[in-house]
Amino acid sequence: MTQAFDGTASGGESPFATLTFKRRIAAPPAVLWEAWTAPAARAIWASPSPSVTVEMLESDPRVGGREISLCKVEGEPDIRCENGWLVLQPAARSVNYEVISCEGATLSAALVTAGFEDADGHSRLVVTVQLSSLAQDMAAGYREGFGAGLDNLAAVAERTMILQRVIKAPKSIVWGAWMNPETLPQWWGPDGFSCRTTRIDLRAGGEWVFDMIGPDGTVFPNHHLYHEVRPEERIGYALLWGENGPKHADAWAAFEEQDGATKVTLGMVFSTAAEFQDAKGFGAVELGQQTLGKLERFITAG
């Protein structure tokens, strides 16, 4: 569910433009915030059209961090986009700069401000782009690209599940319990579940092939494919239905120091809205919280 207003305060040949985009999105601000900032989610919604492939080269979603991506269209030179995060107020506001270039020439620079408000359990998102076109008039391209991207963001946020828990242990300990092939299978899964590992290689480009076994003996084949591992910060991976099976979600885990404890955020963007609804229906939120609870008990018991 989206509503849009796309406008510009500039006209004629002026190289300056102020563009405003508004959306009402069927996800709470805390979930929308994760979809807006988490690299794994941004990689899904960033492409403005199916003909454009976005390759993420660098992504560091914290104040002072930057994101560098390439927009690729067959037969055309790559477009380079550099974003730098200036303000990050969770579920409230973000500010970033954005510089667009192609073949070494800077095409535009912009300041992007996003505001998030609660709207009866949904979100009201307002994005303002203060644009300076440097090599050519970029306003029309920004209106089209940002408009399509925010529509994609709305669809992604509406099938995103976020689980969080604060664990009273340093990040190094929490990370070590998660990214150790000996300990991960010991706590992973809801209460009463166990893991039977076929292969495990916890690194970027690695995988974990395993079965989750329910309390009644039911076997649930799983396959995690890891594409990003930033020690003590975050991991990104794809969830497959069994070894080399169909993907049902893109996921990430982020680790944030909080007064000597560690805030763990586990996010999942389901491949379709139907899969998201199915997961909610069988209690994925509660089962996921049980999994994080098992992690906490594993750490504190040790």
Side-chain angles (χ1 to χ4, degrees):
M1 179 177 61
T2 65
Q3 298 175 344
F5 168 80
D6 304 332
T8 176
S10 69
E13 300 299 319
S14 171
F16 306 110
T18 298
L19 311 176
T20 302
F21 305 85
K22 297 181 181 181
R23 299 290 188 274
R24 181 181 170 90
I25 298 172
V31 171
L32 178 59
W33 176 265
E34 292 293 330
W36 176 256
T37 57
R42 290 176 64 83
I44 298 170
W45 62 260
S47 175
S49 74
S51 65
V52 179
T53 300
V54 176
E55 179 185 353
M56 291 286 185
L57 303 181
E58 179 181 334
S59 191
D60 186 5
R62 57 185 171 182
V63 173
R66 66 177 186 171
E67 175 183 280
I68 298 176
S69 61
L70 296 178
C71 290
K72 298 174 174 286
V73 177
E74 187 174 358
E76 298 183 13
D78 293 345
I79 301 295
R80 183 183 187 273
C81 178
E82 177 179 332
N83 292 330
W85 296 105
L86 304 174
V87 176
L88 289 169
Q89 298 172 342
R93 186 172 67 135
S94 76
V95 182
N96 66 278
Y97 71 78
E98 180 174 284
V99 178
I100 304 296
S101 60
C102 181
E103 296 185 317
T106 301
L107 304 181
S108 64
L111 186 69
V112 181
T113 302
F116 302 74
E117 294 182 3
D118 180 75
D120 297 324
H122 292 178
S123 297
R124 185 178 297 108
L125 173 67
V126 179
V127 178
T128 301
V129 180
Q130 296 167 280
L131 172 66
S132 176
S133 298
L134 302 176
Q136 61 190 62
D137 187 356
M138 297 284 285
Y142 259 78
R143 280 194 294 271
E144 179 180 353
F146 255 84
L150 292 180
D151 288 343
N152 294 342
L153 168 66
V156 165
E158 290 167 12
R159 62 179 195 271
T160 295
M161 186 174 293
I162 300 297
L163 308 171
Q164 294 181 321
R165 194 177 191 94
V166 176
I167 298 175
K168 293 182 179 180
K171 274 202 307 180
S172 59
I173 299 298
V174 179
W175 176 267
W178 196 301
M179 294 302 289
N180 183 327
E182 299 296 327
T183 58
L184 176 60
Q186 294 182 43
W187 61 263
W188 183 264
D191 293 343
F193 281 70
S194 61
C195 293
R196 181 172 58 207
T197 295
T198 301
R199 294 190 306 277
I200 186 166
D201 182 8
L202 303 177
R203 60 180 176 84
E207 62 181 348
W208 184 22
V209 181
F210 66 104
D211 293 328
M212 288 182 59
I213 304 171
D216 62 357
T218 303
V219 176
F220 302 91
N222 281 263
H223 190 179
H224 293 182
L225 293 174
Y226 299 94
H227 56 78
E228 181 184 35
V229 175
R230 291 176 64 95
E232 299 188 20
E233 291 186 17
R234 68 175 183 269
I235 59 175
Y237 57 103
L239 306 178
L240 309 184
W241 291 114
E243 185 170 2
N244 298 318
K247 181 172 72 173
H248 68 98
D250 291 281
W252 68 93
F255 305 82
E256 179 184 354
E257 193 277 333
Q258 193 172 88
D259 298 325
T262 303
K263 181 181 178 181
V264 178
T265 299
L266 179 59
M268 290 165 282
V269 179
F270 288 85
S271 297
T272 65
E275 286 190 273
F276 172 74
Q277 293 299 332
D278 287 346
K280 284 185 64 178
F282 71 66
V285 172
E286 295 79 7
L287 296 173
Q289 290 292 1
Q290 289 179 19
T291 297
L292 294 181
K294 283 176 66 178
L295 168 62
E296 182 174 34
R297 292 193 299 273
F298 179 85
I299 290 170
T300 55

